mmCIF file of all heavy atoms in Angstrom:
data_model
loop_
_atom_site.group_PDB
_atom_site.id
_atom_site.type_symbol
_atom_site.label_atom_id
_atom_site.label_comp_id
_atom_site.label_asym_id
_atom_site.label_seq_id
_atom_site.Cartn_x
_atom_site.Cartn_y
_atom_site.Cartn_z
ATOM 1 N N GLY U 92 98.183 51.752 68.698
ATOM 2 C CA GLY U 92 98.066 51.706 67.241
ATOM 3 C C GLY U 92 97.191 52.846 66.733
ATOM 4 O O GLY U 92 96.948 53.850 67.429
ATOM 5 N N CYS U 93 96.688 52.696 65.493
ATOM 6 C CA CYS U 93 95.965 53.723 64.777
ATOM 7 C C CYS U 93 94.528 53.737 65.196
ATOM 8 O O CYS U 93 94.143 53.061 66.205
ATOM 9 C CB CYS U 93 96.077 53.454 63.294
ATOM 10 S SG CYS U 93 95.409 51.874 62.787
ATOM 11 N N SER U 94 93.704 54.473 64.453
ATOM 12 C CA SER U 94 92.313 54.714 64.898
ATOM 13 C C SER U 94 91.460 53.455 65.129
ATOM 14 O O SER U 94 90.606 53.409 65.956
ATOM 15 C CB SER U 94 91.604 55.617 63.823
ATOM 16 O OG SER U 94 92.216 56.880 63.755
ATOM 17 N N SER U 95 91.732 52.433 64.243
ATOM 18 C CA SER U 95 90.941 51.202 64.411
ATOM 19 C C SER U 95 91.177 50.495 65.705
ATOM 20 O O SER U 95 90.448 49.604 66.131
ATOM 21 C CB SER U 95 91.249 50.274 63.229
ATOM 22 O OG SER U 95 92.628 49.890 63.231
ATOM 23 N N THR U 96 92.283 50.860 66.424
ATOM 24 C CA THR U 96 92.547 50.252 67.706
ATOM 25 C C THR U 96 91.461 50.552 68.724
ATOM 26 O O THR U 96 91.234 49.787 69.663
ATOM 27 C CB THR U 96 93.909 50.865 68.222
ATOM 28 O OG1 THR U 96 94.888 50.741 67.257
ATOM 29 C CG2 THR U 96 94.338 50.127 69.511
ATOM 30 N N SER U 97 90.701 51.632 68.534
ATOM 31 C CA SER U 97 89.611 51.951 69.391
ATOM 32 C C SER U 97 88.522 50.939 69.424
ATOM 33 O O SER U 97 87.719 50.840 70.322
ATOM 34 C CB SER U 97 89.045 53.340 69.063
ATOM 35 O OG SER U 97 88.099 53.749 70.007
ATOM 36 N N SER U 98 88.461 50.112 68.342
ATOM 37 C CA SER U 98 87.366 49.100 68.288
ATOM 38 C C SER U 98 87.694 47.888 69.127
ATOM 39 O O SER U 98 86.799 47.027 69.402
ATOM 40 C CB SER U 98 87.263 48.616 66.824
ATOM 41 O OG SER U 98 86.874 49.735 65.973
ATOM 42 N N ASN U 114 93.866 52.393 76.317
ATOM 43 C CA ASN U 114 93.935 52.439 74.816
ATOM 44 C C ASN U 114 94.744 53.638 74.383
ATOM 45 O O ASN U 114 94.331 54.798 74.514
ATOM 46 C CB ASN U 114 92.564 52.481 74.269
ATOM 47 C CG ASN U 114 92.607 52.032 72.770
ATOM 48 O OD1 ASN U 114 93.453 52.405 72.021
ATOM 49 N ND2 ASN U 114 91.581 51.204 72.395
ATOM 50 N N ILE U 116 95.443 54.589 71.364
ATOM 51 C CA ILE U 116 95.063 54.927 69.997
ATOM 52 C C ILE U 116 95.566 56.307 69.692
ATOM 53 O O ILE U 116 95.482 57.268 70.455
ATOM 54 C CB ILE U 116 93.545 54.888 69.740
ATOM 55 C CG1 ILE U 116 93.186 55.534 68.425
ATOM 56 C CG2 ILE U 116 92.789 55.433 70.880
ATOM 57 C CD1 ILE U 116 91.751 55.799 68.226
ATOM 58 N N MET U 117 96.135 56.526 68.491
ATOM 59 C CA MET U 117 96.577 57.835 68.007
ATOM 60 C C MET U 117 96.300 57.934 66.520
ATOM 61 O O MET U 117 96.182 56.921 65.845
ATOM 62 C CB MET U 117 98.070 58.002 68.283
ATOM 63 C CG MET U 117 98.969 56.956 67.679
ATOM 64 S SD MET U 117 100.681 57.084 68.233
ATOM 65 C CE MET U 117 101.049 55.467 68.710
ATOM 66 N N TYR U 118 96.228 59.168 66.025
ATOM 67 C CA TYR U 118 95.897 59.413 64.650
ATOM 68 C C TYR U 118 97.159 58.999 63.770
ATOM 69 O O TYR U 118 98.273 59.392 64.071
ATOM 70 C CB TYR U 118 95.595 60.854 64.416
ATOM 71 C CG TYR U 118 94.567 61.428 65.321
ATOM 72 C CD1 TYR U 118 94.784 62.717 65.894
ATOM 73 C CD2 TYR U 118 93.393 60.778 65.590
ATOM 74 C CE1 TYR U 118 93.833 63.244 66.720
ATOM 75 C CE2 TYR U 118 92.459 61.285 66.486
ATOM 76 C CZ TYR U 118 92.633 62.538 67.058
ATOM 77 O OH TYR U 118 91.764 63.033 67.869
ATOM 78 N N GLY U 119 96.973 58.241 62.741
ATOM 79 C CA GLY U 119 98.033 57.905 61.771
ATOM 80 C C GLY U 119 99.256 57.336 62.491
ATOM 81 O O GLY U 119 100.360 57.803 62.315
ATOM 82 N N ALA U 120 99.070 56.288 63.275
ATOM 83 C CA ALA U 120 100.173 55.724 64.069
ATOM 84 C C ALA U 120 101.271 55.090 63.212
ATOM 85 O O ALA U 120 101.077 54.001 62.719
ATOM 86 C CB ALA U 120 99.625 54.674 65.062
ATOM 87 N N ASN U 144 98.098 47.094 67.360
ATOM 88 C CA ASN U 144 97.210 46.912 66.166
ATOM 89 C C ASN U 144 97.821 47.604 64.979
ATOM 90 O O ASN U 144 98.123 48.795 65.019
ATOM 91 C CB ASN U 144 95.855 47.610 66.568
ATOM 92 C CG ASN U 144 94.913 47.548 65.390
ATOM 93 O OD1 ASN U 144 94.718 46.524 64.738
ATOM 94 N ND2 ASN U 144 94.292 48.679 65.111
ATOM 95 N N TYR U 146 97.398 48.574 61.127
ATOM 96 C CA TYR U 146 96.631 48.693 59.825
ATOM 97 C C TYR U 146 97.680 48.757 58.732
ATOM 98 O O TYR U 146 98.823 49.167 58.903
ATOM 99 C CB TYR U 146 95.819 49.934 59.925
ATOM 100 C CG TYR U 146 94.671 50.017 58.879
ATOM 101 C CD1 TYR U 146 93.536 49.212 59.033
ATOM 102 C CD2 TYR U 146 94.788 50.894 57.804
ATOM 103 C CE1 TYR U 146 92.562 49.232 58.072
ATOM 104 C CE2 TYR U 146 93.797 50.972 56.842
ATOM 105 C CZ TYR U 146 92.693 50.118 56.974
ATOM 106 O OH TYR U 146 91.713 50.176 56.031
ATOM 107 N N ASN U 149 99.600 52.014 58.063
ATOM 108 C CA ASN U 149 100.427 52.380 59.201
ATOM 109 C C ASN U 149 101.647 51.429 59.337
ATOM 110 O O ASN U 149 102.726 51.885 59.729
ATOM 111 C CB ASN U 149 99.648 52.265 60.482
ATOM 112 C CG ASN U 149 98.436 53.240 60.470
ATOM 113 O OD1 ASN U 149 97.273 52.784 60.459
ATOM 114 N ND2 ASN U 149 98.665 54.548 60.377
ATOM 115 N N TYR U 216 87.879 55.878 71.735
ATOM 116 C CA TYR U 216 86.841 56.847 71.346
ATOM 117 C C TYR U 216 85.564 56.671 72.177
ATOM 118 O O TYR U 216 85.186 55.545 72.476
ATOM 119 C CB TYR U 216 86.468 56.606 69.881
ATOM 120 C CG TYR U 216 87.460 57.164 68.885
ATOM 121 C CD1 TYR U 216 87.850 56.368 67.781
ATOM 122 C CD2 TYR U 216 87.965 58.433 68.978
ATOM 123 C CE1 TYR U 216 88.795 56.863 66.874
ATOM 124 C CE2 TYR U 216 88.897 58.925 68.080
ATOM 125 C CZ TYR U 216 89.289 58.111 66.986
ATOM 126 O OH TYR U 216 90.167 58.595 66.068
ATOM 127 N N LYS U 218 82.021 56.540 71.974
ATOM 128 C CA LYS U 218 81.061 56.320 70.881
ATOM 129 C C LYS U 218 79.609 56.310 71.333
ATOM 130 O O LYS U 218 78.760 55.724 70.629
ATOM 131 C CB LYS U 218 81.374 55.006 70.100
ATOM 132 C CG LYS U 218 82.809 55.019 69.491
ATOM 133 C CD LYS U 218 83.052 53.769 68.752
ATOM 134 C CE LYS U 218 84.422 53.792 68.076
ATOM 135 N NZ LYS U 218 84.750 52.535 67.294
#
Side-chain angles (χ1 to χ4, degrees):
C93 61
S94 297
S95 61
T96 309
S97 186
S98 299
N114 200 318
I116 164 193
M117 57 187 129
Y118 312 133
N144 176 48
Y146 196 72
N149 300 116
Y216 283 135
K218 298 182 178 181

